[in-house]
Amino acid sequence: SISSLKQQAEKEDLNVYSFNTVSPEMIWQFGDKIPSIKINDSTYNFPDEHSFGLLANNLNPEDESLLKNNYIMEQRDTYDLNRNAPNKRGYKKRLVSNYYILTKK
């Protein structure tokens, strides 16, 4: 459950950010605001921290390349708030986010 992510990140002394849009349901279950790194298609607001957590929904190849050029990306988890299986009607990709730990190179 994503509700445990906030405590896990606090234990690891990491702030959690989002890249692209994270669903309101995910933010609500997380229990706090999640600042966004990607402001629009060409503007980014990267944090100053050496390491941080990142929730991302559907990273496109260009965004993933940008991140990997500047950070070491370690995928830690996938959070899926869907009640239906991926192959069933009603499954929403917007309710799925991958969680990464990013560390500056």
Side-chain angles (χ1 to χ4, degrees):
S1 166
I2 194 164
S3 60
S4 64
L5 176 59
K6 186 176 177 184
Q7 291 79 25
Q8 176 189 342
E10 286 172 353
K11 277 185 194 176
E12 296 178 22
D13 197 28
L14 295 172
N15 290 319
V16 177
Y17 298 88
S18 68
F19 199 90
N20 294 335
T21 304
V22 175
S23 72
E25 296 91 337
M26 201 156 290
I27 294 169
W28 185 79
Q29 284 193 17
F30 179 73
D32 204 354
K33 293 179 182 178
I34 304 174
S36 183
I37 288 175
K38 187 173 183 179
I39 308 304
N40 59 44
D41 286 341
S42 62
T43 305
Y44 303 90
N45 186 19
F46 288 103
D48 292 331
E49 295 105 307
H50 179 70
S51 293
F52 58 91
L54 182 73
L55 277 172
N57 181 324
N58 293 327
L59 277 179
N60 66 43
E62 294 83 19
D63 289 336
E64 189 170 350
S65 177
L66 172 75
L67 292 170
K68 286 183 174 180
N69 283 338
N70 297 296
Y71 296 94
I72 298 167
M73 287 180 70
E74 174 193 348
Q75 184 173 350
R76 284 273 183 95
D77 236 325
T78 299
Y79 295 100
D80 186 347
L81 302 183
N82 283 287
R83 297 182 191 267
N84 296 329
N87 59 346
K88 298 290 182 186
R89 188 170 183 250
Y91 186 84
K92 296 178 175 93
K93 289 182 180 180
R94 70 176 190 83
L95 296 177
V96 179
S97 287
N98 292 317
Y99 180 64
Y100 302 91
I101 301 295
L102 273 66
T103 306
K104 284 184 184 177
K105 288 185 174 181

